[in-house]
Amino acid sequence: MTRTQKQADRTEETPGKQSRGAGSAVQSVDRAVSVLEILARLGEAGVTEIADELEVHKSTAFRLLGVLENRGLVAQAKDRGKYYLGAGVLRLAGAAAVRLDISQEGVPVCRELADEVGETVNIAVLDDNAAVNIMQARGAASVTAQNWLGRRTPLHATSSGKVLLGHLPPTLREGLMARPLPRFTERTITGTAALRGELEAVVEQGYAFALEELELGLAATAAPVRAHDGKVIGAISVSGPVYRLDSDHLPDLAKRTAAAAADLSRRMGYGF
């Protein structure tokens, strides 16, 4: 066999190897999820029981449990050798519940505020290094406004983003601010010192503004939504064109937005 033929054979084999590797990874993920479902159904189970349920060798079940245990998703009762769902599952479930709760509880609040001010109202939550809009209501004046639902928007150039960023723990906030701050318009704040000063004002006054910082012609104000423990878990914003939301009208709009955010915070258990 020539060198060229050997190289061709290796090239043809590579996709198959990659495919088998990807298939194995997917199978492992599927089995790991199945382990969690088994423990959710049974309450607790030993390695042998889990292996029988999965129809795999005990060593495979043991490896899966080891990975899940390292991640805190399962825990082991040492005296009985049984495994059960760990605190990590509660952490993940709690994060999902917060999003569901704030979205559900926010529906009447957002609709009332949208009807009152006539503009687009959104609820945003933090998603890694961005704000993602999970709820939207439109007022009478915003019938042709763009849809923000599901969109990830930059923290430093939006009113919701400033609220979420400003209320993060200092170390996490500074870490996010140390990343490049892209410029979207001439008004976008791209300097760390300037943004830090802006966030201090946001926390002190209880609301944020964004005037043509993400898009020309777009203005917005936002206020924080708190959970029962006082932690900021989201932001309510009102946005619209600058010819309606100019510097004369934004302060009053910010107060209305803050009042709506306080209402939603009460619904989330804050203040009780």
Side-chain angles (χ1 to χ4, degrees):
M1 182 180 291
T2 66
R3 179 180 300 178
T4 302
Q5 288 174 322
K6 290 180 179 180
Q7 290 175 339
D9 287 344
R10 284 197 295 269
T11 302
E12 290 173 356
E13 290 172 0
T14 300
K17 292 179 179 179
Q18 291 177 339
S19 177
R20 287 194 295 274
S24 177
V26 171
Q27 185 181 53
S28 296
V29 172
D30 182 70
R31 286 173 173 173
V33 173
S34 295
V35 171
L36 298 177
E37 292 176 339
I38 290 168
L39 294 179
R41 173 165 49 86
L42 299 180
E44 62 178 20
V47 176
T48 301
E49 293 173 89
I50 292 172
D52 289 343
E53 288 268 356
L54 294 176
E55 298 181 349
V56 299
H57 194 274
K58 285 177 61 176
S59 61
T60 299
F62 186 77
R63 285 196 300 271
L64 290 170
L65 287 164
V67 172
L68 292 171
E69 186 174 16
N70 288 337
R71 294 286 184 152
L73 297 175
V74 304
Q76 184 181 17
K78 302 297 183 182
D79 56 333
R80 300 191 307 278
K82 300 281 189 177
Y83 289 86
Y84 55 90
L85 294 178
V89 173
L90 297 177
R91 184 183 68 252
L92 296 175
V98 165
R99 287 199 177 194
L100 290 174
D101 287 346
I102 193 174
S103 180
Q104 292 168 357
E105 294 295 334
V107 170
V109 177
C110 286
R111 287 178 177 169
E112 182 177 350
L113 181 59
D115 289 342
E116 178 185 343
V117 301
E119 304 293 349
T120 300
V121 177
N122 281 283
I123 295 178
V125 296
L126 185 67
D127 186 16
D128 190 20
N129 62 341
V132 60
N133 294 291
I134 61 172
M135 167 64 197
Q136 181 172 277
R138 293 181 177 179
S142 63
V143 290
T144 60
Q146 59 181 298
N147 183 14
W148 294 96
L149 192 61
R151 283 186 57 180
R152 289 169 55 85
T153 55
L155 298 176
H156 68 291
T158 59
S159 58
S160 291
K162 291 177 186 178
V163 167
L164 297 170
L165 185 59
H167 288 87
L168 285 176
T171 302
L172 182 55
R173 181 176 63 246
E174 290 296 324
L176 290 174
M177 290 170 58
R179 300 180 180 185
L181 303 175
R183 180 178 297 279
F184 300 97
T185 74
E186 292 183 355
R187 291 178 172 267
T188 305
I189 299 174
T190 58
T192 302
L195 181 58
R196 188 178 294 115
E198 177 88 354
L199 297 181
E200 290 175 358
V202 167
V203 173
E204 181 178 351
Q205 65 195 14
Y207 48 81
F209 296 121
L211 191 60
E212 296 189 292
E213 295 174 40
L214 179 63
E215 294 182 7
L216 292 176
L218 179 67
T221 182
V225 177
R226 299 179 183 273
H228 64 91
D229 58 0
K231 180 181 178 181
V232 172
I233 56 174
I236 290 184
S237 68
V238 176
S239 60
V242 292
Y243 66 82
R244 287 201 302 262
L245 278 58
D246 57 24
S247 56
D248 292 332
H249 293 90
L250 273 177
D252 178 64
L253 190 61
K255 293 178 181 178
R256 296 189 186 189
T257 304
D263 183 17
L264 181 52
S265 297
R266 284 190 293 271
R267 291 170 177 262
M268 299 299 294
Y270 179 64
F272 292 97

